[in-house]
Amino acid sequence: MKKFLIVATSVLLLVFFGYYLSFYHGIYFSWNRGKEVKAEFITENKKIYIKKGDKEEELIIKGVELESSMPYAYTTDFKPTKEDYLRWLQGIGELGANTVKVPTIMDDDFYNALYEYNAENESPLYLLQGLWVSDYASNSSEDAYGDDFYKQLRKDVRDIVDVIHGHKNIMTNKIKGYGIYRKDVSDWVIGYAIGSQWDVKTIAYTNHNERERNSFQGDYFKTTDEANPFEVMLADLMERLVAYETSKYGEQRLVTFYSDPSMDPFEYEEEYASQLNKYVSLNMEHILSTNKLYSGYFASYALYDFCPKFYRYLSKEQKKELQPLLKEVNKKQMYDGYVELLAKYHTMPVVILSFGYSSARGSDSNYGTTKEEQYHLTEKEQGERLVKTYETIKNAGCSGGIIKGYKDIFSQRTWNTMYAVDILRTRMWKDIQSANTGYGLITFESGEEEKVCYIDGNKEEWEESELILQQNGMKVYQKQDMEALYFLVEKEGLTKENPFYMGFDLTEKSGATYARRQKLAFDRPVDFLLEINGRNESRLLVQERYDAVRENYLMEIQDEDPFIVVPKKDGQNFVAIRMILKNIGVEKQKFDEQGNPLRRLMKTFETGKLTYGNGNPNADDYNSLSDFCYGDDFVEIRIPWQLLNVSDPTNMEIHDDYYENYGVESRKMDHFYLGIIEKEQKENGMHLEEVEIKPVKKEAYHERFKESYFIVKEYWSH
């Protein structure tokens, strides 16, 4: 009996130890040597094919990126359940997509949902599996061969192979998913995309620091003599990934790595390169496959920060080399033929790994042309541009493209608004002034089924209990939710022909008792002045001392130090509320009288100007950017939180004085003062009364398909 217990215990320990080594560390015995390697997705010349029985069908990717984001959570919290993923996959399938891309190792709920969805649908969704590098690793003091970068990716390429084959346990994972992975989804996996938005400084530092790492020779990949150390590292990672899957599972899938216009393989003039920070290159042509790679690999690019008429700025040597291709490129297409040039340049398939447009109210780009300025897009315009871009991708000869996001992401930061908000709390509210929150095809709105307030000229959602002010024959009602503060102003006979002002006093640190241009007096210092003056001239203005963009970006906008001449606390000028924009074009370098190069100044647009329209998505004339709308004897108004210098509405924190704190510091607010007066009555001056305001609560929300979803659906489904 004793011997039996010892033997049984030993067997159990061996089984447990083997289980631990296999499912936690990927230790295995290879039974696939000498066997035929399975490769269902392959490349031939410049096309991707999928094997279906004895036939090979060309695969043109119609993809959408799906992240683990949800309101009130970080993307890396992996809050969605299997049911959430199933619902989203269903929506993506109905969109007409054939591919879903995920940016990293997801939690097991995603792969379980993908397995169930594909098992129940005749038309499956294929998976393009991404592997990202943490922001910390990408921006650390080490180069790409450091432990947090290279070593972590070496581990991830093995982990993800086991994950998609349903043979992995991951109990903890700081920024990636975890769980018990038992669903084998490998039959639907097109391949792997290594990396996302590499930091160009890390690439440059790696190439400078690791000069001796200038070649690689593996069983599946090798580099050319032109390869740089960063490309050598990528070849090594692709080798490890393919070798592991081939040896352990007897299968191969396609593989690629991330690139974009800031690191494309082309050489540009020095002036162009310096203005757009283009000083590194990644070239897939520097990595060659061997005859042991049965699946294939492809080039992939994200499209963003594109420079118009890029071909003018190619170096002389590059123009000469590319001249035969440039002659064939249709420069009248979107991106001026850039996508077509990529497709013609590469000897392998090209997939646009990410493209998208934001429908947020705020922006950091000019979407217009040289003749027309357009700083933000409606949901309809977002959809039209997505379709036009995909059509360009297809016509260029690429093997398809992937729309940047299926869902809006609350926690996504944007460079030109980060200074103004508490970035640790952005997941708790919907900052519609931040462009990066609006790339999705579906959005999240307050309320279980309907939004708290639609700007549509309909009073039914307003209640008498929301009345906060009665002045000069006018009534003011107030609501709030996670995106904005809403007002309904009511007066008998009120129409677009009756301009009026509303004054806001939020902080005692600044504010004017007189508005010079408007010739309007106030009985207490006012920080913001709302002017409703017809469809085209309505705007929110800010008292010059409380102008956030001036303090933070005056050097970039006017080449002036904002602290040399500081606006007076009671200055009488109310100025436009602006947003700063990216410089995407190339300008001739300018010099001062001493021959010193002048700073290239950045442009702004007036984000405080209000858009008139019907903001109800059920309306035929729906305008998703609507800020105000008239009804019979009333007008509804939306003011996004950030326009009022609110850094965190969930704690009701606003900006403190910029010039006392030398930057943005926040302070609590539990009340403000409000006044209203018609323009024809302004000689009487404005009286302001105290209004209570409470932090925005963590409220129920619902998902809504944007107009852009249906536009893409109509295009992809036919």
Side-chain angles (χ1 to χ4, degrees):
M1 183 66 179
K2 186 177 180 181
K3 288 183 179 180
F4 173 78
L5 290 174
I6 292 172
V7 171
T9 302
S10 299
V11 171
L12 286 173
L13 286 173
L14 284 171
V15 170
F16 175 78
F17 190 58
Y19 176 89
Y20 175 77
L21 290 176
S22 178
F23 284 91
Y24 287 89
H25 292 281
I27 305 299
Y28 68 99
F29 294 102
S30 177
W31 308 103
N32 294 301
R33 291 179 183 174
K35 293 185 179 179
E36 183 180 355
V37 175
K38 178 183 175 184
E40 295 297 317
F41 297 90
I42 62 172
T43 63
E44 291 181 11
N45 298 320
K46 294 190 176 187
K47 295 183 178 181
I48 296 174
Y49 294 91
I50 178 174
K51 292 182 180 179
K52 292 188 175 181
D54 297 330
K55 295 182 179 180
E56 295 178 0
E57 292 183 6
E58 184 181 0
L59 177 63
I60 303 294
I61 291 174
K62 296 188 291 185
V64 180
E65 185 168 37
L66 181 63
E67 298 197 38
S68 58
S69 58
M70 291 194 84
Y72 314 132
Y74 292 115
T75 300
T76 51
D77 289 339
F78 293 94
K79 287 294 184 183
T81 64
K82 176 186 171 184
E83 287 67 33
D84 291 322
Y85 285 120
L86 275 171
R87 182 176 66 257
W88 295 333
L89 291 171
Q90 186 69 35
I92 293 171
E94 292 174 357
L95 184 67
N98 59 20
T99 303
V100 58
K101 177 186 177 291
V102 294
T104 188
I105 297 172
M106 307 287 277
D107 58 350
D108 55 358
D109 281 330
F110 168 74
Y111 300 96
N112 293 340
L114 180 65
Y115 183 91
E116 184 173 321
Y117 175 86
N118 282 343
E120 295 177 355
N121 285 274
E122 291 183 7
S123 299
L125 281 172
Y126 301 119
L127 175 65
L128 185 57
Q129 175 65 56
L131 287 171
W132 68 24
V133 177
S134 70
D135 290 341
Y136 169 78
S138 192
N139 295 282
S140 72
S141 60
E142 294 184 322
D143 64 31
Y145 284 92
D147 285 352
D148 291 319
F149 201 110
Y150 174 58
K151 187 177 179 180
Q152 184 60 52
L153 277 174
R154 282 177 56 179
K155 180 180 183 300
D156 287 347
V157 296
R158 290 170 64 96
D159 284 351
I160 192 55
V161 169
D162 289 332
V163 164
I164 67 127
H165 284 277
H167 194 88
K168 190 67 180 176
N169 293 352
I170 303 177
M171 291 297 96
T172 58
N173 219 346
K174 287 185 179 179
I175 61 166
K176 303 179 184 71
Y178 57 90
I180 308 297
Y181 300 89
R182 291 296 178 270
K183 294 297 185 184
D184 184 348
V185 298
S186 60
D187 283 349
W188 302 297
V189 178
I190 294 171
Y192 308 95
I194 298 174
S196 60
Q197 209 160 348
W198 307 114
D199 186 281
V200 291
K201 296 186 291 294
T202 299
I203 298 175
Y205 183 49
T206 302
N207 292 340
H208 172 79
N209 211 35
E210 304 283 349
R211 295 179 183 178
E212 71 280 4
R213 300 180 190 259
N214 54 16
S215 66
F216 177 82
Q217 175 69 59
D219 289 334
Y220 304 97
F221 294 98
K222 60 183 179 181
T223 56
T224 67
D225 293 339
E226 295 82 9
N228 61 47
F230 197 88
E231 291 165 346
V232 168
M233 182 208 67
L234 292 170
D236 175 63
L237 288 169
M238 294 193 295
E239 172 79 17
R240 291 174 183 275
L241 191 157
V242 173
Y244 184 68
E245 186 166 27
T246 303
S247 176
K248 188 170 183 177
Y249 298 102
E251 298 179 13
Q252 291 180 2
R253 280 165 184 79
L254 306 184
V255 64
T256 188
F257 60 78
Y258 175 92
S259 188
D260 62 48
S262 72
M263 56 195 75
D264 67 24
F266 308 130
E267 183 180 283
Y268 296 88
E269 293 175 353
E270 186 176 343
E271 192 168 48
Y272 172 98
S274 63
Q275 289 191 32
L276 277 82
N277 290 320
K278 173 71 171 73
Y279 53 88
V280 298
S281 290
L282 292 180
N283 193 338
M284 199 61 138
E285 301 297 327
H286 292 170
I287 303 173
L288 307 177
S289 63
T290 72
N291 57 11
K292 290 185 178 180
L293 184 68
Y294 302 112
S295 54
Y297 70 119
F298 59 92
S300 58
Y301 292 87
L303 294 180
Y304 74 100
D305 286 353
F306 173 76
C307 179
K309 298 190 170 31
F310 72 97
Y311 48 84
R312 292 182 178 177
Y313 309 107
L314 294 167
S315 67
K316 288 183 179 179
E317 295 78 8
Q318 190 73 85
K319 284 179 181 176
K320 184 177 180 181
E321 181 184 335
L322 296 176
Q323 188 60 29
L325 302 181
L326 289 170
K327 283 183 178 179
E328 299 176 5
V329 166
N330 180 3
K331 298 181 179 66
K332 294 182 179 180
Q333 288 190 14
M334 287 186 74
Y335 301 102
D336 298 339
Y338 181 76
V339 180
E340 188 176 0
L341 178 61
L342 290 174
K344 291 182 180 299
Y345 173 81
H346 282 290
T347 59
M348 63 196 72
V350 174
V351 174
I352 300 306
L353 204 61
S354 177
F355 71 96
Y357 303 94
S358 174
S359 64
R361 187 185 185 280
S363 175
D364 65 352
S365 302
N366 182 357
Y367 293 113
T369 65
T370 54
K371 296 180 181 179
E372 175 191 15
E373 294 180 337
Q374 184 177 11
Y375 300 110
H376 42 203
L377 304 175
T378 65
E379 292 174 8
K380 180 182 179 183
E381 290 167 335
Q382 177 194 32
E384 290 169 345
R385 283 178 178 261
L386 288 172
V387 167
K388 188 176 180 180
T389 302
Y390 189 85
E391 188 75 14
T392 298
I393 291 167
K394 189 175 67 172
N395 292 340
C398 294
S399 292
I402 296 171
I403 293 174
K404 183 174 180 178
Y406 182 61
K407 302 176 276 98
D408 283 352
I409 303 176
F410 282 20
S411 60
Q412 196 80 48
R413 306 167 184 176
T414 307
W415 67 275
N416 66 342
T417 59
M418 286 175 63
Y419 77 93
V421 298
D422 182 346
I423 58 177
L424 298 178
R425 297 282 298 173
T426 52
R427 71 191 189 281
M428 302 302 295
W429 57 291
K430 186 178 179 182
D431 183 10
I432 58 177
Q433 287 297 107
S434 178
N436 282 349
T437 65
Y439 277 87
L441 297 173
I442 67 170
T443 190
F444 301 95
E445 295 182 333
S446 58
E448 290 186 0
E449 295 182 1
E450 293 188 347
K451 194 175 176 182
V452 168
C453 182
Y454 294 115
I455 303 300
D456 59 356
N458 187 334
K459 282 201 308 184
E460 290 183 0
E461 62 206 3
W462 293 89
E463 299 177 4
E464 198 63 30
S465 61
E466 294 161 340
L467 178 66
I468 58 166
L469 183 69
Q470 294 189 73
Q471 280 186 0
N472 301 312
M474 308 174 83
K475 291 183 177 180
V476 181
Y477 300 78
Q478 177 189 310
K479 287 177 182 285
Q480 64 184 43
D481 69 2
M482 56 177 147
E483 14 178 299
L485 197 59
Y486 304 93
F487 295 99
L488 182 142
V489 176
E490 184 178 34
K491 181 184 179 182
E492 186 175 348
L494 183 68
T495 68
K496 302 180 186 69
E497 284 69 45
N498 303 115
F500 63 87
Y501 297 105
M502 289 176 68
F504 298 79
D505 174 20
L506 272 61
T507 170
E508 71 278 6
K509 295 290 188 75
S510 58
T513 55
Y514 186 76
R516 182 180 288 118
R517 186 181 68 82
Q518 291 77 14
K519 298 180 180 179
L520 176 61
F522 315 101
D523 65 357
R524 59 179 303 120
V526 164
D527 301 301
F528 291 94
L529 185 62
L530 177 65
E531 183 177 0
I532 300 297
N533 185 19
R535 288 174 177 253
N536 300 317
E537 295 301 327
S538 295
R539 53 179 40 89
L540 182 68
L541 303 168
V542 61
Q543 192 259 354
E544 57 189 342
R545 174 87 174 196
Y546 208 36
D547 177 9
V549 169
R550 182 194 190 276
E551 188 275 326
N552 284 274
Y553 287 116
L554 190 65
M555 185 65 77
E556 288 79 7
I557 297 169
Q558 295 179 202
D559 201 19
E560 297 176 15
D561 188 330
F563 295 96
I564 298 298
V565 179
V566 176
K568 294 179 180 179
K569 289 192 175 184
D570 59 351
Q572 296 179 349
N573 290 327
F574 283 80
V575 298
I577 300 175
R578 300 166 294 163
M579 292 191 83
I580 192 167
L581 300 168
K582 291 181 292 194
N583 278 331
I584 60 170
V586 176
E587 296 178 359
K588 274 286 185 184
Q589 180 65 65
K590 298 177 182 178
F591 301 88
D592 63 16
E593 294 177 356
Q594 288 75 39
N596 300 312
L598 294 173
R599 179 192 294 269
R600 187 186 179 204
L601 301 181
M602 303 177 78
K603 296 178 174 61
T604 64
F605 82 98
E606 186 183 359
T607 188
K609 190 169 184 179
L610 305 186
T611 298
Y612 186 83
N614 189 329
N616 191 324
N618 297 315
D620 293 337
D621 57 347
Y622 172 54
N623 182 344
S624 62
L625 295 175
S626 172
D627 293 312
F628 71 113
C629 187
Y630 277 89
D632 294 334
D633 300 329
F634 70 91
V635 61
E636 292 180 296
I637 305 164
R638 172 185 75 170
I639 304 180
W641 290 114
Q642 198 189 122
L643 283 192
L644 292 169
N645 289 346
V646 176
S647 57
D648 177 15
T650 65
N651 285 320
M652 204 47 69
E653 293 185 348
I654 62 171
H655 296 179
D656 204 341
D657 187 280
Y658 307 119
Y659 302 95
E660 290 181 4
N661 295 286
Y662 293 92
V664 176
E665 297 290 336
S666 295
R667 60 200 299 261
K668 297 248 185 207
M669 175 179 69
D670 57 17
H671 68 278
F672 64 96
Y673 294 87
L674 180 69
I676 188 168
I677 194 168
E678 289 188 90
K679 195 170 185 178
E680 63 183 22
Q681 301 172 323
K682 68 179 183 179
E683 291 78 9
N684 301 328
M686 183 185 291
H687 168 63
L688 285 87
E689 299 180 18
E690 182 176 325
V691 175
E692 182 184 15
I693 190 165
K694 295 180 179 179
V696 173
K697 296 179 180 178
K698 184 177 178 180
E699 55 195 339
Y701 65 86
H702 63 278
E703 297 172 9
R704 176 178 66 80
F705 291 112
K706 294 183 183 179
E707 270 190 295
S708 53
Y709 174 93
F710 298 104
I711 292 170
V712 174
K713 179 180 179 180
E714 183 177 0
Y715 173 70
W716 270 353
S717 299
H718 292 88

